[in-house]
Amino acid sequence: MEHDALAAARQLIAEQGVEALSLSAVAREVGVTPPALYRYFEGKAGLTLALYEAITRDFVSVVAEATGAMDAEDFVGQLYAATRAVLDWSVANPGEFDLLMGAGYARLVASGRPVDQVLIRELGGLFGQTFRQLWRRGILSYPSEEDVEPRLWSQVTAYGQLMQHDYPPGVAMVMITCWRQIYGLLCMAVYGHLASSFDDYLPLFEHMMDDLLGLCGVPRKR
């Protein structure tokens, strides 16, 4: 029942958006009454949280597969493949993206659940494996504590700890610097921002990747 309910919930948000998600709608899809779902989920908030975690696992597995297809020494290929997989998945799954990183996520946070730790740990941890190699080999340049405003350094330190790697907080600073650019492009592509000018986001993506790979110490040869 739980598996069927989550599958029905994913179908709902894929077809109708996060706004369509409710216990009653999911119950109709699986042929039960809404109270029957309370055996598995603590109301709509519990259903949404379980859905968030399930989608995150599947999303990260797609990115991990793309990364794993690259040679272990090909850091450019790993970072490019992982980021392109994030873009392609997000554009292909706008409803699920909305729940993980868009307006649907904002509503989930309003329920008082700190769910972003799941995505930081899973997706950030995956990217962090490559960043860790860049750090250990002395390829990556990163700021020291003296270079970063104290309040930001504290936040970046907490962010890095969630990813459960042993690199310095300065490495996490480089990661979040990359992510804020990636996230901006994802939102543009998924929600069609500036589509009148950027009807194809791939050239902008390629330009961004050239900048980010250079920032990471592994400039791409074009």
Side-chain angles (χ1 to χ4, degrees):
M1 173 69 73
E2 182 178 3
H3 178 271
D4 292 342
L6 289 175
R10 292 182 74 160
Q11 190 67 27
L12 273 172
I13 66 172
E15 295 177 352
Q16 302 177 41
V18 176
E19 297 80 4
L21 185 63
S22 68
L23 280 176
S24 58
V26 172
R28 280 196 303 271
E29 292 296 322
V30 296
V32 299
T33 62
L37 294 181
Y38 278 88
R39 292 181 55 193
Y40 307 95
F41 311 105
E42 295 180 8
K44 180 181 176 180
L47 170 63
T48 307
L49 178 59
L51 185 61
Y52 178 95
E53 293 176 342
I55 292 173
T56 296
R57 286 193 299 270
D58 289 350
F59 169 42
V60 172
S61 71
V62 169
V63 180
E65 183 177 358
T67 307
M70 299 295 106
D71 186 272
E73 298 296 315
D74 184 5
F75 302 126
V76 172
Q78 290 174 26
L79 291 172
Y80 180 91
T83 311
R84 179 61 188 270
V86 169
L87 175 67
D88 290 346
W89 181 92
S90 299
V91 171
N93 301 278
E96 296 188 344
F97 173 87
D98 198 42
L99 179 60
L100 295 193
M101 304 181 224
Y105 170 75
R107 286 190 288 273
L108 184 55
V109 169
S111 70
R113 298 171 183 266
V115 292
D116 66 332
Q117 295 181 10
V118 179
L119 190 60
I120 293 172
R121 183 180 65 248
E122 299 299 328
L123 184 63
L126 177 61
F127 274 88
Q129 294 174 20
T130 302
F131 276 83
R132 183 174 183 272
Q133 290 300 316
L134 295 175
W135 162 63
R136 292 189 65 183
R137 298 184 185 209
I139 297 172
L140 182 70
S141 296
Y142 55 91
S144 66
E145 184 173 358
E146 292 74 25
D147 299 322
V148 180
E149 194 274 331
R151 289 178 299 171
L152 177 56
W153 186 260
S154 175
Q155 293 173 331
V156 167
T157 299
Y159 170 71
Q161 289 171 345
L162 282 174
M163 290 182 281
Q164 301 176 352
H165 287 291
D166 59 354
Y167 43 63
V171 175
M173 183 69 206
V174 178
M175 291 183 66
I176 197 63
T177 300
C178 293
W179 178 247
R180 69 189 183 196
Q181 292 194 51
I182 295 167
Y183 180 70
L185 181 59
L186 294 179
C187 290
M188 287 175 64
V190 172
Y191 299 125
H193 296 315
L194 303 183
S196 60
S197 301
F198 298 94
D199 58 326
D200 177 4
Y201 289 97
L202 286 181
L204 195 59
F205 174 81
E206 296 292 340
H207 185 270
M208 178 190 73
M209 289 305 302
D210 283 337
D211 287 346
L212 297 185
L213 290 168
L215 177 65
C216 294
V218 284
R220 183 163 52 155
K221 297 177 181 179
R222 304 261 295 188

